[in-house]
Each structure stands twice: as C-alpha cells, then as structure tokens.
Amino acid sequence: MNDPVRFTVPLSCRGIGELNLKSRLNTARRFVGVFAPFAAPKKGCDKDSDWTDSVRNRLLKMRPDDCDQYPPEANRKKEFMVDFLWEEKKLGKRALLACESEWGSDPYGRRNKVKVTYDFDKLLVFKAPFKLLLFESADADASGNPKKGAFTIGDVKDMLEESLRNYWHHVPGETYVFVDFPSTGKPGTNGRYDAYVWISQQLGKQAASVERLMTGELARGASTSKDGTAGMAQP
C-alpha cells in the first residue's frame, strides 16, 4: 500500500459552533473515500487487533501535517480518552478528529449493541468537529438472510439516533461519521464498507436522522491511486 496524500481539513471546518454544512459534508465524504477502502487489514488477518492496528496505521498516514495522533503508533496503547485522536499542534490545543472503534466479539448478539452504544456515548461528550465511529454489523449470509437476533445496520441506526436525540449538549457543526465494515457471508471476497453521517445543526437537544453517505469495496492488499483514493467509492 502506497502512502496516501496527507488529508486536509479546511480551516472553516476545524472549529465548532458554526454550521458550514456543505463544506463539512464534503470533508466527511472526502475523508471516507480515502480512509475506508484501505482501513482493513490484509486478507486472512481478521482478529480484532489486526483491524485496530490497520485502522491506526491508516489514520497515522492520513493525519494532517499540523496534527499529532494519539496513540502515536499503531500497536501502542497510549490513548487519550478515545481510541484514536488527531490533535492540532499549531493552532492551539484542540481535537480535530476523535475516533472510537468496536468490532465486537459477539456480532450476532445483544452484547455487541451494548459495546457499540458505550463507545458511541464517549464520542457524544468528547468535543471535536469530526467524530468517527467504526463497527461491524451482521450482514446477510450467503442466502441473503441475516441470522436470527443478528446485530444489523438497522439496529445500529436506531441506537445511534436514539443516543443523538437524547443528548442535550450538541454544538452546531459537530460532524459524526459512522463506518460499518459488515460481515458479508461470502468467503474469499474483499468485503465492503458502508458510511453514514449526521451533522448537528443547532445548539442543544435536537432531532436526529442518520443518513447514508457512501459505500464502496475494501481494497485489501491493493495499492492506492496517485491521489490516495480507491477510485471505487460511490456517493
């Protein structure tokens, strides 16, 4: 995998308290297009720790030039409140991107929902203009039907929207990006990602509807294009 071009976040999107809806939405879409296709580990490396290290490597390579990342290396545990963090080092001490991931050891049961909800609640109270939640829903099996009691994307969206609606301290412009790496039930495939977004549009409690942002295939082991993107993401 080639090193991607460093990701850039416009100054107009680096603060909170201002909406800039179109710019924030475009930034979220650009981020997912560069991050998600290459966030997965190589084929055959599917332990939770493999995914965590691969995600950290991707974020480390993508981080803007004026940001530090915590933890500073993929396999280190020096986290700061959240699993991964980009923090500006030139414009003052403020977080630019906060990330939580929960792959879950029980993808077809209720425990996974509890774990994802817990991690998401941490993102709710952490102040950053961009917040990233990574998880794995239980996709349909080879016959096209999810297993009974499966942790589906519908379950995830219901949970996210309930948490967002019940939170009282939203700030305008906070952009939540949710990336699902579903289990496809098709052995031998690269798999795919599905990304969703919600942007706070006012101060305090508000309605919330998580919307589809884009989807695409995972490039497990493939190299990036010249601009660092997969060239396969569909808005």
Side-chain angles (χ1 to χ4, degrees):
M1 180 180 296
N2 298 326
D3 286 346
V5 176
R6 292 284 193 180
F7 191 72
T8 58
V9 178
L11 289 177
S12 61
C13 296
R14 290 191 170 214
I16 52 177
E18 298 178 356
L19 193 53
N20 299 323
L21 181 60
K22 184 177 181 180
S23 182
R24 292 180 190 273
L25 190 60
N26 287 339
T27 300
R29 184 175 285 111
R30 285 194 301 108
F31 173 85
V32 171
V34 177
F35 166 76
F38 308 102
K42 294 180 180 180
K43 286 185 178 180
C45 301
D46 282 312
K47 294 185 298 184
D48 290 353
S49 58
D50 295 329
W51 277 85
T52 297
D53 288 351
S54 185
V55 164
R56 285 176 171 171
N57 270 319
R58 192 63 182 172
L59 290 175
L60 183 61
K61 291 179 179 179
M62 285 176 56
R63 65 177 172 83
D65 288 326
D66 61 344
C67 287
D68 289 324
Q69 174 171 305
Y70 300 97
E73 297 176 11
N75 58 355
R76 294 179 64 181
K77 299 294 185 181
K78 291 186 178 180
E79 300 168 356
F80 178 72
M81 298 179 69
V82 291
D83 288 343
F84 323 111
L85 175 68
W86 285 349
E87 183 182 66
E88 291 180 326
K89 57 186 179 182
K90 292 183 179 178
L91 298 178
K93 190 175 180 64
R94 60 180 181 180
L96 183 59
L97 172 77
C99 173
E100 280 288 317
S101 66
E102 181 51 70
W103 313 118
S105 58
D106 183 28
Y108 299 108
R110 295 181 179 178
R111 283 183 294 167
N112 202 28
K113 183 175 181 179
V114 172
K115 292 177 181 179
V116 173
T117 302
Y118 176 80
D119 278 8
F120 180 59
D121 285 347
K122 289 195 289 182
L123 280 183
L124 277 176
V125 301
F126 193 96
K127 289 306 169 190
F130 291 92
K131 303 182 183 185
L132 176 65
L133 180 68
L134 310 177
F135 58 92
E136 178 191 8
S137 72
D139 201 0
D141 59 22
S143 63
N145 300 308
K147 294 183 178 180
K148 184 178 180 180
F151 180 58
T152 66
I153 187 59
D155 296 326
V156 180
K157 289 181 68 176
D158 289 345
M159 175 272 293
L160 294 174
E161 290 173 350
E162 181 180 6
S163 292
L164 288 166
R165 287 193 300 266
N166 290 330
Y167 185 61
W168 285 75
H169 288 176
H170 290 298
V171 178
E174 285 185 315
T175 302
Y176 291 81
V177 178
F178 312 102
V179 182
D180 180 18
F181 297 95
S183 173
T184 63
K186 298 177 181 179
T189 63
N190 284 342
R192 74 171 198 274
Y193 67 88
D194 297 313
Y196 304 83
V197 67
W198 182 78
I199 303 177
S200 173
Q201 299 190 35
Q202 65 187 51
L203 186 66
K205 192 174 181 179
Q206 59 198 276
S209 178
V210 174
E211 304 293 340
R212 173 69 72 88
L213 181 65
M214 58 198 296
T215 187
E217 297 178 7
L218 300 180
R220 302 187 75 169
S223 60
T224 59
S225 60
K226 291 183 179 179
D227 63 355
T229 62
M232 62 183 71
Q234 299 297 320

